Amino acid sequence: GQQVMQIPQYQHVQEGEDFTTYCNSSTTLSNIQWYKQRPGGHPVFLIQLVKSGEVKKQKRLTFQFGEAKKNSSLHITATQTTDVGTYFCAFPESKLTFGTGTRLQVTL
Amino acid sequence: DAGVIQSPRHEVTEMGQEVTLRCKPISGHDYLFWYRQTMMRGLELLIYFNNNVPIDDSGMPEDRFSAKMPNASFSTLKIQPSEPRDSAVYFCASSGRDSISSYNEQFFGPGTRLTVL
């Protein structure tokens, strides 16, 4: 099956700093989704990217799908403590498969 | 809509006991998914149903695990007998997409935290 690496596994930033997590696939993806899971919570859908080179924004969050549709990134500008959690990419194979996640810690 | 409902929220049991986890998907959703989440293995898909029919159970760890969906509004995940290594958070999710060629977003329930002593 497809192998999707999500990096970094963990990042600790100070409030106001930027944050980026990456999802890299060994094969071309038809689309990719991003989810956020707060500590003690459940994954919540953020966005889906379908087109090559697609860029979508949600307030301080910017999502990109690579031109070759093999990688994707989530960038948060000026992090806030409310951004704390684990961010997962997810992609359809025969079923929806989740990446390993990036845990973000934000301190004041 | 109340969202995906799972019960119980927490379960503590002893090794060898039978455990049944329950899920009520969002009304009208065609797909139902069971996931397991642990620190070591992350979020794993165990099984999913489409229109109440199991489609892919390749993620089910072993024969001790079974899942059913007797109707569109209810599913169970059963572990018999339970073992300490089954301790995890089990999530149920549902999706409204009727084509697996492009998944729609999944709505997750709050999860059941299972501890097997």
Side-chain angles (χ1 to χ4, degrees):
Chain A
Q2 294 171 346
Q3 294 186 351
V4 173
M5 299 296 296
Q6 196 170 346
I7 54 173
Q9 287 188 318
Y10 171 76
Q11 188 153 6
H12 185 177
V13 301
Q14 289 198 319
E15 191 176 46
E17 293 181 337
D18 291 356
F19 160 77
T20 305
T21 175
Y22 301 90
C23 225
N24 298 306
S25 170
S26 58
T27 58
T28 302
L29 305 172
S30 59
N31 62 73
I32 195 162
Q33 299 178 3
W34 285 92
Y35 290 76
K36 176 185 178 182
Q37 183 177 21
R38 294 181 187 274
H42 57 276
V44 175
F45 175 84
L46 294 176
I47 208 159
Q48 178 168 279
L49 304 172
V50 179
K51 299 177 183 176
S52 169
E54 188 170 16
V55 178
K56 288 188 177 180
K57 292 191 176 185
Q58 290 179 351
K59 298 182 180 178
R60 294 178 295 104
L61 277 60
T62 301
F63 303 84
Q64 286 190 298
F65 203 7
E67 292 290 341
K69 301 180 75 172
K70 287 187 176 182
N71 56 74
S72 181
S73 65
L74 158 59
H75 179 83
I76 303 178
T77 303
T79 55
Q80 299 176 359
T81 54
T82 53
D83 297 325
V84 165
T86 301
Y87 294 84
F88 294 96
C89 61
F91 56 96
E93 195 176 25
S94 57
K95 55 200 177 192
L96 194 64
T97 303
F98 281 76
T100 51
T102 296
R103 187 160 67 93
L104 172 64
Q105 179 64 35
V106 181
T107 52
L108 295 172
Chain B
D1 200 320
V4 176
I5 299 172
Q6 290 187 248
S7 65
R9 294 293 305 276
H10 302 272
E11 177 81 26
V12 180
T13 190
E14 293 188 344
M15 183 173 64
Q17 296 297 307
E18 177 179 297
V19 174
T20 300
L21 312 181
R22 297 172 176 79
C23 175
K24 177 177 170 32
I26 292 173
S27 176
H29 278 188
D30 300 307
Y31 285 86
L32 184 139
F33 307 82
W34 281 101
Y35 292 89
R36 177 174 68 176
Q37 186 174 42
T38 62
M39 287 295 292
M40 291 297 294
R41 301 177 66 88
L43 194 59
E44 303 174 276
L45 178 65
L46 301 177
I47 185 172
Y48 77 93
F49 296 82
N50 177 215
N51 292 323
N52 312 338
V53 176
I55 303 300
D56 186 343
D57 65 354
S58 59
M60 295 287 261
E62 48 198 275
D63 292 345
R64 297 184 299 107
F65 286 69
S66 63
K68 294 182 179 180
M69 192 166 185
N71 57 63
S73 59
F74 183 66
S75 177
T76 60
L77 178 67
K78 186 176 293 186
I79 309 172
Q80 166 64 18
S82 58
E83 297 182 3
R85 59 190 168 126
D86 301 330
S87 297
V89 180
Y90 290 82
F91 289 105
C92 175
S94 69
S95 172
R97 193 72 173 184
D98 61 0
S99 167
I100 63 170
S101 62
S102 178
Y103 283 97
N104 207 353
E105 65 179 283
Q106 292 190 13
F107 294 82
F108 282 74
T112 295
R113 183 172 295 276
L114 174 64
T115 303
V116 183
L117 302 174

